[in-house]
Amino acid sequence: MQELHDAPLAPLTTFRLGGPATRLVTATTDAEVIDAVREADDSGTPLLVIGGGSNLVIGDKGFDGTALRIATTGFEARGTALELAAGEVWSDAVARTVEAGLAGIECLAGIPGSAGATPIQNVGAYGQEVSSTITEVVAYDRRAGRTVTLTNDECAFSYRHSRFKADPVRYVVLRVRFGLEDAGGLSAPVRYAEAARALGVQQGERAPLAHAREAVLALRAGKGMVLDPEDHDTWSAGSFFTNPILTDEQLADFHARVRERLGDGAEPPAYPAGQGRTKTSAAWLIDKAGFGKGYGTGPARISTKHTLALTNRGGATTEDLLELAREVVAGVHKAFGVTLVNEPVTVGVTL
């Protein structure tokens, strides 16, 4: 187990932002992860768990405590059952499942970060969410002081949410288990319209598994959502805001504001989100509120490829990023009465 003091954290995040940690520990086995967590808990030391760093906004002052970087490895496929160690690189794991002919997470290709982070956020894209294939999550329960195995139902998944996100200091994910599908070289049914068009199939139809992954990677790359150290549009956390879910009352007020601002013919995106609830598009809201691609003049700006990504153009500070985020939140609320919620986890700062 590697240990460093006054260690820079910015290189461990996709934003490349944030100050140092008092102490940085890198764990390569589950036992090392548990030992580091127990040591911090027993001594009352604040603990920050870092996987791929793709969903973190760390304050410029850094983290006064122990940062635990989970670098465990393990990819085990038995039939259609898959187990991933928390530290496995997610995009690499997806590629290996496709090579193995296993369907169910191919449309989650190219998402940065580690496997252990996927159940926390209930990662999803292009019509798939990990909650539809996760069977169990093995985690260290800091409250009980022991390793536990949680079923899919016990994970309490919902849109970009889970039991782990609801109680962020309780669990440290160690392993994630999936139930995938052998569809004879074909993908899971393609649910997302944009992906279906790219693949030349109808929604609900299947496509060759490798083609589905390649199409999603191309779509993501076109939006700056595949990591590229030379492309500042990818110096981001991907989607910075979640898509708002509105009650029927909120939706009526929202439509009234849309008509007032954009005219009677304007139709904002709308997707069913359960009884009496409708999901709309954060990207649409941001754009129609006046924050287009490339918005900003400082070192933190909206991506030139996608309005939902806030980016570090090089030399930005976390405060630069937060100032831009606050401007976008305020502008969208003023225009449409909808409050955007940040998707990345903030450390030592608030939006």
Side-chain angles (χ1 to χ4, degrees), residues 183-221:
L186 296 178
S187 70
V190 180
R191 304 296 183 191
Y192 200 77
E194 186 180 20
R197 287 194 297 270
L199 287 162
V201 300
Q202 297 295 316
Q203 283 182 260
E205 292 182 348
R206 299 176 186 264
L209 190 54
H211 292 180
R213 174 179 173 269
E214 291 162 5
V216 166
L217 286 174
L219 289 170
R220 291 185 63 85

XYZ file of all heavy atoms in Angstrom, residues 183-221:
279
model
N -26.478 -12.910 -26.282
C -27.500 -12.778 -27.324
C -26.949 -13.155 -28.690
O -27.353 -12.600 -29.720
C -28.046 -11.352 -27.346
N -26.001 -14.084 -28.699
C -25.468 -14.558 -29.972
C -24.721 -13.496 -30.752
O -24.823 -13.443 -31.984
N -23.985 -12.660 -30.046
C -23.207 -11.607 -30.713
C -23.968 -10.326 -30.932
O -23.436 -9.385 -31.536
N -25.207 -10.264 -30.461
C -26.007 -9.057 -30.608
C -26.060 -8.285 -29.295
O -25.824 -8.826 -28.215
C -27.425 -9.402 -31.051
C -27.567 -10.063 -32.421
C -29.023 -10.381 -32.701
C -26.986 -9.167 -33.519
N -26.397 -7.021 -29.401
C -26.523 -6.146 -28.247
C -27.830 -6.401 -27.517
O -28.688 -7.163 -27.987
C -26.497 -4.682 -28.709
O -27.700 -4.378 -29.425
N -27.982 -5.762 -26.378
C -29.304 -5.668 -25.764
C -30.183 -4.813 -26.674
O -29.676 -4.080 -27.537
C -29.183 -5.030 -24.388
N -31.512 -4.896 -26.559
C -32.369 -4.029 -27.376
C -31.951 -2.564 -27.238
O -31.737 -2.074 -26.123
C -33.761 -4.282 -26.794
C -33.687 -5.678 -26.262
C -32.298 -5.806 -25.703
N -31.819 -1.881 -28.374
C -31.343 -0.490 -28.386
C -32.515 0.424 -28.043
O -33.480 0.525 -28.807
C -30.746 -0.124 -29.762
C -30.251 1.322 -29.757
C -29.603 -1.080 -30.109
N -32.451 1.063 -26.891
C -33.575 1.855 -26.383
C -33.498 3.331 -26.743
O -34.515 4.024 -26.746
C -33.637 1.732 -24.851
C -33.738 0.302 -24.330
C -35.016 -0.364 -24.769
N -35.155 -1.712 -24.212
C -36.073 -2.575 -24.623
N -36.931 -2.251 -25.567
N -36.138 -3.784 -24.071
N -32.306 3.829 -27.013
C -32.107 5.273 -27.175
C -32.181 5.648 -28.646
O -31.500 5.045 -29.489
C -30.749 5.662 -26.588
C -30.598 7.113 -26.250
C -31.178 7.648 -25.104
C -29.857 7.967 -27.065
C -31.023 8.981 -24.775
C -29.698 9.298 -26.749
C -30.281 9.805 -25.601
O -30.129 11.140 -25.283
N -32.999 6.640 -28.961
C -33.271 6.975 -30.368
C -31.994 7.357 -31.121
O -31.787 6.922 -32.263
C -34.286 8.107 -30.441
N -31.149 8.164 -30.508
C -29.926 8.620 -31.182
C -29.007 7.435 -31.500
O -28.417 7.365 -32.583
C -29.201 9.638 -30.315
C -27.989 10.269 -30.986
C -27.298 11.274 -30.092
O -27.498 11.228 -28.851
O -26.533 12.108 -30.619
N -28.896 6.510 -30.561
C -28.070 5.327 -30.790
C -28.681 4.447 -31.877
O -27.962 3.895 -32.721
C -27.907 4.543 -29.500
N -30.001 4.295 -31.860
C -30.671 3.486 -32.882
C -30.435 4.062 -34.279
O -30.154 3.320 -35.226
C -32.164 3.400 -32.573
N -30.537 5.388 -34.394
C -30.293 6.022 -35.698
C -28.861 5.782 -36.152
O -28.607 5.496 -37.331
C -30.578 7.525 -35.613
C -32.050 7.879 -35.531
C -32.279 9.353 -35.802
N -31.628 10.190 -34.790
C -32.211 10.594 -33.662
N -33.465 10.214 -33.403
N -31.577 11.357 -32.805
N -27.915 5.910 -35.226
C -26.510 5.717 -35.589
C -26.238 4.287 -36.048
O -25.368 4.049 -36.888
C -25.615 6.070 -34.404
N -27.006 3.343 -35.504
C -26.821 1.930 -35.840
C -27.694 1.470 -36.998
O -27.551 0.342 -37.480
C -27.121 1.072 -34.606
C -26.059 1.130 -33.511
C -26.625 0.635 -32.193
C -24.847 0.299 -33.925
N -28.616 2.317 -37.418
C -29.508 1.955 -38.520
C -30.525 0.898 -38.152
O -30.906 0.072 -39.002
N -30.973 0.920 -36.883
C -32.000 -0.023 -36.443
C -33.146 0.755 -35.814
O -33.030 1.951 -35.534
C -31.440 -1.034 -35.408
C -30.300 -1.835 -36.014
C -30.988 -0.327 -34.129
N -34.258 0.078 -35.605
C -35.383 0.676 -34.917
C -35.174 0.558 -33.411
O -34.504 -0.353 -32.928
C -36.687 -0.038 -35.305
C -37.031 0.078 -36.785
C -37.321 1.512 -37.196
O -38.025 2.244 -36.501
N -36.763 1.914 -38.330
N -35.748 1.500 -32.661
C -35.684 1.385 -31.214
C -36.308 0.066 -30.776
O -37.393 -0.310 -31.250
C -36.418 2.550 -30.550
C -35.629 3.852 -30.550
C -36.380 4.972 -29.846
O -37.002 5.812 -30.509
N -36.326 4.991 -28.532
N -35.629 -0.628 -29.881
C -36.091 -1.924 -29.416
C -35.474 -3.085 -30.155
O -35.557 -4.231 -29.692
N -34.860 -2.825 -31.303
C -34.155 -3.879 -32.042
C -32.732 -4.023 -31.518
O -32.213 -3.154 -30.835
C -34.121 -3.558 -33.540
C -35.481 -3.621 -34.216
C -35.397 -3.346 -35.706
O -34.322 -2.886 -36.184
O -36.397 -3.582 -36.393
N -32.118 -5.131 -31.871
C -30.729 -5.376 -31.496
C -29.798 -5.056 -32.659
O -30.227 -5.003 -33.814
C -30.543 -6.837 -31.059
C -31.373 -7.236 -29.835
C -31.202 -8.713 -29.540
N -32.081 -9.178 -28.460
C -31.707 -9.283 -27.184
N -30.462 -8.970 -26.832
N -32.553 -9.706 -26.264
N -28.528 -4.868 -32.327
C -27.504 -4.615 -33.337
C -26.298 -5.472 -32.992
O -26.185 -5.980 -31.865
C -27.126 -3.134 -33.340
N -25.372 -5.661 -33.924
C -24.146 -6.374 -33.566
C -23.495 -5.711 -32.356
O -23.376 -4.493 -32.292
C -23.285 -6.248 -34.825
C -24.292 -6.152 -35.943
C -25.415 -5.333 -35.370
N -23.079 -6.524 -31.415
C -22.609 -6.030 -30.119
C -21.449 -5.045 -30.268
O -21.464 -3.944 -29.683
C -22.195 -7.224 -29.255
C -21.877 -7.000 -27.791
C -23.023 -6.293 -27.077
C -21.599 -8.347 -27.129
N -20.452 -5.407 -31.052
C -19.293 -4.527 -31.230
C -19.695 -3.228 -31.922
O -19.169 -2.157 -31.598
C -18.205 -5.239 -32.027
N -20.641 -3.300 -32.857
C -21.096 -2.094 -33.549
C -21.789 -1.144 -32.571
O -21.640 0.084 -32.684
C -22.051 -2.452 -34.687
C -21.392 -3.172 -35.813
N -22.073 -3.599 -36.943
C -20.099 -3.564 -35.998
C -21.247 -4.214 -37.763
N -20.041 -4.202 -37.211
N -22.552 -1.697 -31.646
C -23.235 -0.858 -30.663
C -22.223 -0.091 -29.816
O -22.369 1.114 -29.581
C -24.140 -1.711 -29.775
N -21.194 -0.784 -29.346
C -20.161 -0.107 -28.559
C -19.470 0.963 -29.383
O -19.256 2.093 -28.915
C -19.138 -1.126 -28.051
C -17.945 -0.490 -27.336
C -16.962 -1.531 -26.819
N -15.779 -0.878 -26.296
C -14.692 -0.602 -27.011
N -14.652 -0.935 -28.301
N -13.651 0.011 -26.467
N -19.107 0.644 -30.611
C -18.396 1.602 -31.465
C -19.255 2.824 -31.763
O -18.760 3.962 -31.782
C -17.975 0.922 -32.767
C -16.879 -0.127 -32.572
C -16.771 -1.090 -33.745
O -17.496 -0.879 -34.759
O -15.984 -2.053 -33.656
N -20.543 2.607 -31.970
C -21.444 3.735 -32.259
C -21.552 4.661 -31.062
O -21.538 5.893 -31.202
C -22.824 3.209 -32.659
N -21.656 4.082 -29.869
C -21.744 4.903 -28.662
C -20.449 5.676 -28.444
O -20.467 6.867 -28.094
C -22.084 4.022 -27.449
C -21.846 4.777 -26.151
C -23.529 3.561 -27.528
N -19.312 5.026 -28.661
C -18.032 5.728 -28.507
C -17.943 6.907 -29.471
O -17.462 7.987 -29.103
C -16.872 4.759 -28.756
C -16.588 3.745 -27.645
C -15.519 2.750 -28.098
C -16.129 4.458 -26.378
N -18.418 6.718 -30.702
C -18.384 7.807 -31.687
C -19.316 8.945 -31.262
O -18.958 10.129 -31.372
C -18.771 7.283 -33.065
N -20.501 8.606 -30.777
C -21.437 9.628 -30.318
C -20.855 10.402 -29.133
O -20.930 11.631 -29.074
C -22.766 8.995 -29.928
C -23.629 8.453 -31.073
C -24.784 7.637 -30.520
C -24.151 9.601 -31.936
N -20.273 9.686 -28.188
C -19.684 10.335 -27.017
C -18.504 11.218 -27.408
O -18.349 12.333 -26.906
C -19.242 9.290 -25.989
C -20.384 8.562 -25.306
C -19.868 7.631 -24.216
N -19.205 8.383 -23.163
C -19.823 8.947 -22.129
N -21.140 8.829 -22.015
N -19.151 9.611 -21.229
N -17.659 10.723 -28.296
C -16.494 11.497 -28.723
C -16.920 12.800 -29.397
O -16.286 13.843 -29.215
C -15.629 10.669 -29.671
